[in-house]
Amino acid sequence: MNSKIFSALMGAVLLAQPVLVPAAEQGFLSIFNGKDLTGWEGNPKLWSVKDGAITGQTTAENPAKGNTFLIWTNGTPSDFELRCSFKLTPGDSNGFANSGIQYRSKVFDPANWVVGGYQADMEAGPSYTGILYEERMRGIMALRGEKVVWDKEDKKQVVGSFGDAAAIGAAVKKGDWNEYVIIAKGNHLQQFINGKQTIDLTDDCEAKRAMSGVLALQLHAGPPMMAQFRNLRIKKL
């Protein structure tokens, strides 16, 4: 057989082979194409794609007037597992960078891309990365290392611990890429960073809990900073 024909046939065979997905990634759907913001909406002056990552950036000349968000437009997930990588970079000597992943949230002000609800928090500082914060609502719901139940009367009950908050925080790589995992199933919420569980929360307050809602990425008001996200994928549970 002619070598060129053989090479062409082998190439066709290789192209026809199924793509093998690692077992740990089966069932996940990518929600960011790595090229542009298709499927997402936010302030175009603040959000873009740089080096294959969703990038929210403020500067002294182009600040965020308030907390603003990049909103995923293709659904309002209820029970799911979300995985992504994130990196925070302060923009000046203040060392400030703060962001978060909103889930089961709602849009309060569509014109200004303002979102509120559960937030997997992250920051450049030592305290808040990994906590569960409820934007525009109940505030801090679970600190790093806490197992929490919010009871039917909307009171916080700390019922367990994963260990020292600072020790868990030591797994966060400052100024580098980190892996965030969020699992929401029923009224049970869990968050993990770099394989370490950071919070476990059961929300029994039917009047205030959210069982579904939008996903969004936060760009915090304040000093200049940059928040980046890549490899965003979700699996329905």
Side-chain angles (χ1 to χ4, degrees), residues 147-151 155-159 200-202 204:
K147 184 173 184 179
V148 171
V149 173
W150 280 71
D151 65 23
K155 301 296 183 183
K156 178 183 175 180
Q157 311 290 338
V158 178
V159 298
D200 184 296
L201 183 140
T202 300
D204 283 333

Side-chain angles (χ1 to χ4, degrees), residues 79-164:
D79 290 358
F80 65 87
E81 179 173 340
L82 177 72
R83 299 178 179 179
C84 72
S85 300
F86 74 91
K87 181 169 71 170
L88 299 178
T89 307
D92 62 18
S93 60
N94 286 296
F96 173 86
N98 187 294
S99 183
I101 303 167
Q102 297 290 144
Y103 59 100
R104 289 188 177 178
S105 294
K106 59 183 179 180
V107 180
F108 281 82
D109 180 359
N112 292 300
W113 306 281
V114 176
V115 171
Y118 297 135
Q119 180 189 114
D121 210 340
M122 60 187 76
E123 60 152 354
S127 303
Y128 300 121
T129 300
I131 75 166
L132 175 55
Y133 182 80
E134 195 174 35
E135 180 85 3
R136 301 180 68 86
M137 297 183 192
R138 287 174 284 184
I140 295 175
M141 298 193 70
L143 292 170
R144 199 165 56 218
E146 289 185 337
K147 184 173 184 179
V148 171
V149 173
W150 280 71
D151 65 23
K152 296 182 184 298
E153 286 71 43
D154 199 33
K155 301 296 183 183
K156 178 183 175 180
Q157 311 290 338
V158 178
V159 298
S161 172
F162 302 111
D164 180 70

Side-chain angles (χ1 to χ4, degrees), residues 5-22:
I5 296 176
F6 179 78
S7 296
L9 287 172
M10 287 303 296
V13 169
L14 290 172
L15 287 172
Q17 295 297 311
V19 176
L20 296 178
V21 178

Side-chain angles (χ1 to χ4, degrees), residues 14-69:
L14 290 172
L15 287 172
Q17 295 297 311
V19 176
L20 296 178
V21 178
E25 288 292 325
Q26 289 183 3
F28 281 86
L29 171 70
S30 174
I31 58 174
F32 168 52
N33 64 20
K35 300 176 182 179
D36 57 39
L37 295 179
T38 298
W40 297 82
E41 288 186 357
N43 187 336
K45 295 181 179 180
L46 299 173
W47 293 98
S48 64
V49 175
K50 296 180 180 179
D51 301 322
I54 291 176
T55 302
Q57 186 170 15
T58 60
T59 63
E61 299 75 25
N62 187 35
K65 296 179 180 179
N67 293 353
T68 188
F69 299 80

